[in-house]
Amino acid sequence: MIYIFINRLSNNGKAVDAQGELEKIFEGHKLKFIDITSITNAADSCRMLSPDDKIVIAGGDGTLSRFVNDVYDLQLTNEVYFYTCGSGNDFLNDVCESCQIKDNLIPMNDFMKNLPLVTVNGKSSRFINGIGYGIDGYCCEEGDRIREK
């Protein structure tokens, strides 16, 4: 079985098309789509997987980061892939030359090991493709305010 953790809200809601694309890529396989925005923690779903099950994370950089933080302590042995359907896809841009990408699927198992742990304001998180402290978000908010004027 292939478990697909999908964020249909990625890319300003355009990632909703990813489900159909993934159904075509995995035609003939048994698929289970899990809306990652409707669950509290992806680890709860992953604990029940059999060793032969595969995992696909479908979304953007934020979806990938959330999934990795949810499941990091499980040390998954299942094959894990990332299907990029976000707006920026920084992770894809960072790794595209260093791995074999087929059908827009990035093999993730090696990337999900030995990630740095950063604690800010008492909250610890693992980072797979970048560490931000809100400055970029603040700049976007200011840019939006300026555009409105």
Side-chain angles (χ1 to χ4, degrees):
M1 168 97 65
I2 301 172
Y3 289 83
I4 301 174
F5 290 83
I6 187 167
N7 182 354
R8 293 178 180 91
L9 301 176
S10 289
N11 196 8
N12 299 308
K14 295 175 187 166
V16 72
D17 298 333
Q19 182 165 338
E21 296 164 3
L22 288 161
E23 287 170 343
K24 287 178 188 171
I25 291 170
F26 293 112
E27 188 175 348
H29 292 85
K30 191 170 180 179
L31 306 177
K32 178 171 180 157
F33 286 88
I34 300 167
D35 182 351
I36 199 162
T37 63
S38 68
I39 59 175
T40 305
N41 191 315
D44 296 337
S45 300
C46 292
R47 281 188 187 95
M48 301 178 292
L49 302 183
S50 72
D52 294 336
D53 292 331
K54 293 179 174 63
I55 298 169
V56 174
I57 308 147
D61 294 316
T63 306
L64 176 61
S65 180
R66 178 188 168 194
F67 182 87
V68 167
N69 274 280
D70 284 355
V71 305
Y72 190 81
D73 291 332
L74 294 180
Q75 299 177 356
L76 294 172
T77 57
N78 305 77
E79 290 179 31
V80 180
Y81 298 91
F82 181 42
Y83 183 80
T84 58
C85 50
S87 54
N89 298 316
D90 292 331
F91 183 80
L92 170 66
N93 295 327
D94 289 344
V95 303
C96 66
E97 293 180 17
S98 66
C99 63
Q100 296 290 325
I101 300 172
K102 183 180 177 206
D103 293 325
N104 202 30
L105 292 163
I106 302 169
M108 291 301 301
N109 293 77
D110 288 342
F111 291 113
M112 293 173 55
K113 297 176 183 172
N114 303 315
L115 296 177
L117 181 67
V118 176
T119 303
V120 177
N121 294 331
K123 182 182 180 203
S124 297
S125 298
R126 302 242 176 226
F127 286 87
I128 189 158
N129 68 332
I131 299 170
Y133 291 96
I135 294 170
D136 54 344
Y138 172 76
C139 292
C140 290
E141 285 178 8
E142 284 300 307
D144 289 345
R145 276 193 272 272
I146 290 169
R147 249 183 302 209
E148 285 177 12
K149 292 180 182 179

